[in-house]
């Protein structure tokens, strides 16, 4: 894209407007999805049981396991020392992924990506280490939503809010900082209105009853079941910021332009260029578990679960209504000369009695019968939830009729896991994108010095550019773990790998300590063999014949 340097404010503002053209519409949809995810109903309603949240939690646990993820940096047609370098780079990539919060951030972002349809992870290099950020789709926009790959977008925008004082501090060193602050639009936030639409979204569960409270001592406790707010409060004046990333055809690199509402360019002149400081790269990774062919944001997992949740809510309310009537059934009174409120109340109290002069007076209990198929229907809805996401009963550890042995159960689990494995592989490719970005950041910014077995020293920047990053042995998903471990033991049994490789493949607790002990045992065994050879003892304990 050719950037208009003469009218950069107008050029950048127009691009931001185009990228964010569907933001308001999407936010309304996302708010509805979020409320169903948290509470199992639309805003202003209540559900007796929210099935969506535990279902998404279960699905996420099958798709991703942060503790087992390992990367393999692979190279081809390179000199032998480069392969050893690749192994050292792989281990450092694992360290950055697990020790700098990237794994935790992805674990937090994945269920939200299933709920909304998309999440993004932003990796920054700060003070010699990685800092991951989760970017909500509410605050992200692309120029062409029919292009599904972020790397093919000519422009995209990340929106965020900062306080007015923070913006003043950031631009205080600029020569035109005071002029910029006069042009910036500040959103004032009053104490009684701590949730401006441009800053925070308010989530309210159930109907709001501001007058309902419980008084205990001198403390007035609000009705927590009537109103639940899961958003931070702030009364600080805010400024809406836009981080615009544009592909600059002239430099063949990204150009970062930072704007403040209503369209004031703060940073982004030609000399700044790519804020990520890695040519041709940008810091975002697109997390979209359910991709669509021609829509960047994909589709939401709970879009197909909302009707099932409404169905389950309707049936649970009917069941609860019938049970309440069975516990305290309606009554039909006939032949009574008169009935008072005191007599009606006495009918509901244990041990009470009523006297009436009418000889034919009687009370009939109108207790309803529970339909036989009502609970069966609830089980059917449960199965529909599982079928929607590809989760079989055997895969969840539930019993299955006709299973006669462990091998039979293993076969059923393997066949029943085909859909979830397919989805887990799609998540794995996103994790590989994160690993590739980590390696590229290391090559550009990490000054750590590696040492090979031969004593050669190198830094990541000296590593070849012709590399690929994979999730080693599909270790990102627990559905592959058992197959991987069984394969490792089968190779060890066939003596295709040594015990040290077996430890490396299975990753038991304290694996490094076990590997060191195995090396010590190996050295002791070699020393014993040498002593036996010097004494003329052959294996088996007998001396050689003279």
């Amino acid at each position: 894209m050719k950037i208009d340097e003469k009218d950069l404010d107008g050029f950048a503002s127009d691009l931001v407007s185009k990228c964010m053209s569907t933001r308001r519409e999407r936010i309304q949809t996302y708010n509805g999805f979020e409320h169903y995810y948290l509470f199992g109903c639309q805003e202003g309603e209540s559900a007796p049981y929210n099935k969506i949240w535990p279902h998404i939690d279960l699905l996420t646990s099958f798709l991703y396991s942060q503790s087992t993820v390992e990367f393999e940096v692979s190279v081809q047609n390179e000199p032998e020392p480069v392969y050893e370098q690749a192994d050292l780079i792989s281990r450092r990539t694992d360290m950055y992924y697990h020790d700098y919060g990237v794994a935790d951030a992805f674990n937090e972002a994945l269920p939200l990506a299933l709920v909304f349809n998309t999440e993004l992870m932003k990796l920054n290099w700060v003070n010699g280490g990685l800092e991951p950020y989760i970017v909500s789709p509410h605050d992200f926009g692309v120029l062409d939503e029919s292009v599904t790959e972020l790397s093919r977008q000519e422009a995209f925008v990340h929106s965020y809010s900062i306080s007015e004082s923070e913006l003043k501090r950031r631009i205080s060193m600029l020569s035109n900082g005071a002029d910029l602050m006069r042009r910036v639009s500040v959103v004032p936030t009053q104490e009684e209105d701590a949730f401006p639409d441009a800053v925070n979204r308010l989530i309210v569960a159930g109907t709001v009853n501001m007058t309902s409270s419980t008084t205990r001592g001198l403390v007035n406790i609000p009705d927590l079941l009537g109103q639940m707010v899961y958003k931070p409060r702030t009364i600080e004046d805010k400024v809406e910021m836009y981080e615009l990333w544009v592909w600059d055809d002239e430099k063949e690199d990204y150009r970062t332009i930072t704007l403040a509402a209503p369209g004031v360019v703060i940073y982004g002149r030609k000399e700044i260029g790519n804020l990520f400081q890695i040519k041709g790269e940008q810091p975002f990774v697109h997390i979209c578990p359910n991709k669509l062919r021609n829509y960047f944001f994909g589709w939401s997992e709970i879009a197909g679960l909302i009707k099932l949740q409404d169905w389950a809510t309707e049936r649970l309310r009917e069941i609860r209504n019938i049970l309440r009537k069975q516990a305290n059934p309606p009554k039909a009174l006939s032949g009574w000369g008169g009935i008072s409120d005191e007599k009606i109340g006495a009918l509901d109290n244990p041990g009470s009695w009523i006297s009436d002069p009418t000889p034919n007076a009687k009370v009939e209990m109108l207790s309803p019968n529970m339909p036989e198929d009502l609970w069966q229907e609830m089980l059917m809805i449960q199965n529909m939830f599982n079928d929607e996401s590809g989760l079989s009963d055997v895969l969840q550890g539930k019993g299955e009729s006709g299973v006669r042995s462990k091998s039979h159960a293993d076969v059923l689990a393997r066949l029943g896991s085909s859909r979830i494995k397919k989805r887990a592989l799609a998540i794995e490719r996103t994790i590989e994108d994160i690993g590739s970005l980590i390696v590229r950041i290391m090559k550009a910014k990490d000054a750590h010095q590696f040492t090979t077995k031969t004593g050669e020293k190198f830094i990541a920047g000296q590593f070849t550019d012709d590399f690929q990053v994979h999730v080693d042995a599909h270790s990102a998903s627990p559905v592959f773990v058992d197959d991987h471990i069984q394969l490792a033991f089968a190779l060890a049994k066939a003596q295709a790998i040594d015990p040290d490789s077996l430890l490396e493949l299975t990753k038991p607790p304290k694996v490094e300590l076990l590997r060191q002990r195995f090396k010590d045992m190996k050295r002791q065994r070699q020393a014993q063999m040498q002593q036996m050879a010097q004494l003329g003892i052959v294996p088996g304990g007998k001396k050689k014949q003279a």
Side-chain angles (χ1 to χ4, degrees):
M1 179 177 291
K2 183 175 177 57
I3 298 176
D4 187 356
E5 304 290 351
K6 296 181 180 179
D7 183 21
L8 190 60
D9 285 26
F11 171 81
S13 297
D14 182 60
L15 269 183
V16 169
S17 178
K18 290 178 179 178
C19 291
M20 292 296 196
S21 60
T22 64
R23 183 190 186 191
R24 184 176 298 275
E25 176 185 347
R26 288 187 289 110
I27 284 178
Q28 293 177 353
T29 303
Y30 294 148
N31 287 344
F33 286 158
E34 189 171 22
H35 209 276
Y36 262 97
Y37 172 59
L38 293 176
F39 309 113
C41 60
Q42 297 181 20
E43 187 171 348
E45 298 181 358
S46 61
Y49 173 65
N50 177 19
K51 175 59 183 171
I52 291 181
W53 188 92
H55 180 80
I56 295 295
D57 188 49
L58 176 65
L59 176 60
T60 305
S61 68
F62 278 101
L63 295 178
Y64 175 67
S65 174
Q66 68 184 83
S67 62
T68 58
V69 175
E70 292 185 353
F71 293 101
E72 177 192 8
V73 179
S74 61
V75 294
Q76 292 182 350
N77 301 324
E78 295 286 348
E80 188 65 28
V82 179
Y83 288 88
E84 186 179 355
Q85 292 179 0
D87 182 62
L88 294 173
I89 294 289
S90 299
R91 297 193 181 196
R92 187 145 181 95
T93 305
D94 291 341
M95 183 272 293
Y96 275 121
Y97 186 79
H98 291 284
D99 296 347
Y100 282 78
V102 182
D104 295 328
F106 190 84
N107 188 54
E108 181 181 348
L110 181 57
L112 296 178
L114 290 168
V115 171
F116 296 133
N117 60 18
T118 280
E119 284 284 308
L120 295 107
M121 182 181 293
K122 184 179 183 181
L123 295 180
N124 286 336
W125 183 266
V126 180
N127 298 325
L130 283 178
E131 281 195 5
Y133 297 91
I134 298 175
V135 179
S136 168
H138 306 68
D139 303 320
F140 200 84
V142 295
L143 185 60
D144 188 353
E145 292 185 353
S146 66
V147 176
T148 57
E149 292 84 10
L150 188 59
S151 60
R152 292 174 53 201
Q153 293 286 343
E154 284 192 296
F156 50 88
V157 178
H158 171 210
S159 173
Y160 58 95
S161 297
I162 62 175
S163 66
E164 182 183 10
S165 59
E166 174 68 10
L167 180 60
K168 286 182 179 178
R169 185 186 65 80
R170 291 186 182 185
I171 67 176
S172 60
M173 302 301 294
L174 299 179
S175 58
N176 61 339
D179 178 63
L180 291 175
M181 284 304 304
R182 283 193 294 269
R183 297 166 56 197
V184 165
S185 176
V186 179
V187 180
T189 307
Q190 311 253 338
E191 185 173 358
E192 61 271 14
D193 181 21
F195 300 95
D197 291 339
V199 181
N200 290 311
R201 301 186 308 281
L202 174 66
I203 300 179
V204 179
T207 57
V208 180
N209 183 4
M210 298 302 292
T211 61
S212 176
S213 62
T214 303
T215 303
R216 297 175 185 171
L218 299 178
V219 181
N220 192 29
I221 302 176
D223 182 7
L224 296 180
L225 296 179
Q227 184 181 26
M228 296 183 186
V229 178
Y230 292 104
K231 294 297 172 184
R233 290 181 177 270
T234 178
I235 58 175
E236 184 72 17
D237 292 348
K238 292 286 185 177
V239 178
E240 188 80 0
M241 304 292 293
Y242 303 98
E243 189 176 276
L244 173 64
W245 292 77
V246 187
W247 181 259
D248 189 344
D249 291 337
E250 182 180 346
K251 291 189 173 183
E252 295 186 348
D253 192 9
Y254 283 100
R255 173 87 163 270
T256 311
I257 305 174
T258 303
L259 301 89
V264 182
V265 172
I266 305 297
Y267 308 103
R269 304 298 170 185
K270 191 172 184 178
E271 60 275 7
I272 295 179
N274 187 341
L275 193 62
F276 196 43
Q277 298 179 352
I278 303 177
K279 185 175 176 59
E281 300 292 342
Q282 46 81 22
F284 297 93
V285 176
H286 184 203
I287 305 172
C288 185
N290 300 312
K291 293 185 178 181
L292 291 176
R293 180 180 59 84
N294 58 352
Y295 184 53
F296 175 83
F297 293 100
W299 62 275
S300 168
E301 184 77 22
I302 68 172
L305 304 178
I306 288 177
K307 292 296 183 182
L308 294 177
Q309 175 65 46
D310 290 341
W311 186 6
T313 297
E314 180 184 1
R315 287 294 174 264
L316 283 173
R317 285 172 176 166
E318 292 173 349
I319 290 172
R320 184 170 62 175
N321 188 39
I322 293 174
L323 292 175
R324 289 176 61 188
K325 289 180 179 179
Q326 288 180 340
N328 187 14
K331 305 170 184 64
L333 284 70
S334 59
W336 292 75
I339 190 71
S340 62
D341 292 341
E342 290 79 6
K343 290 182 179 180
I344 290 294
L347 290 174
D348 291 331
N349 291 327
S352 61
W353 56 273
I354 301 175
S355 175
D356 192 272
T358 306
N360 295 326
K362 64 178 182 178
V363 178
E364 182 180 359
M365 299 295 180
L366 303 179
S367 178
N369 295 323
M370 180 72 72
E372 295 180 359
D373 296 334
L374 208 54
W375 287 111
Q376 190 65 31
E377 187 175 342
M378 291 299 300
L379 294 177
M380 182 178 68
I381 295 173
Q382 167 71 37
N383 292 333
M384 289 181 178
F385 265 92
N386 293 334
D387 184 63
E388 184 75 22
S389 299
L391 298 174
S392 63
D393 287 344
V394 174
L395 194 62
Q396 299 178 60
K398 299 179 180 179
E400 187 75 19
S401 59
V403 177
R404 297 178 296 275
S405 63
K406 179 181 181 300
S407 60
H408 188 190
D410 290 342
V411 171
L412 293 178
R414 189 176 300 108
L415 295 176
S417 64
S418 56
R419 285 183 62 194
I420 203 67
K421 284 183 176 179
K422 176 183 176 182
R423 304 190 64 181
L425 288 174
I427 300 299
E428 184 178 292
R429 284 190 286 272
T430 302
I431 300 174
E432 289 173 348
D433 291 340
I434 295 175
S436 297
L437 183 57
I438 292 175
V439 174
R440 290 194 290 270
I441 293 174
M442 288 168 53
K443 284 176 60 63
K445 301 177 182 293
D446 192 0
H448 175 76
Q449 192 173 66
F450 300 89
T451 304
T452 64
K453 294 178 180 178
T454 59
E456 178 189 359
K457 298 183 182 298
F458 73 99
I459 61 174
Q462 297 172 312
F463 183 61
T464 177
D465 293 328
D466 187 15
F467 68 88
Q468 289 183 329
V469 178
H470 303 284
V471 173
D472 190 20
H474 306 298
S475 56
S477 172
V479 296
F480 292 101
V481 172
D482 287 340
D483 293 341
H484 173 64
I485 292 177
Q486 290 178 13
L487 176 61
F489 278 104
L491 292 173
K493 186 176 181 180
Q495 296 183 352
I497 58 175
D498 59 8
D500 189 44
S501 300
L502 179 63
L503 292 173
E504 180 68 21
L505 291 174
T506 56
K507 288 295 187 298
K510 299 182 178 180
V511 61
E512 293 299 331
L513 177 62
L514 294 176
R515 293 178 67 181
Q516 186 61 43
R517 288 180 176 176
F518 171 72
K519 291 178 182 178
D520 293 340
M521 292 169 56
K522 191 174 181 180
R523 284 194 293 266
Q524 291 176 5
R525 191 178 302 114
Q526 290 175 348
Q528 290 176 356
M529 294 293 292
Q530 292 175 357
Q531 291 178 359
M532 292 172 63
Q534 292 174 358
L535 296 174
I537 301 176
V538 298
K542 297 181 179 179
K543 287 188 176 182
K544 294 180 180 179
Q545 297 294 331

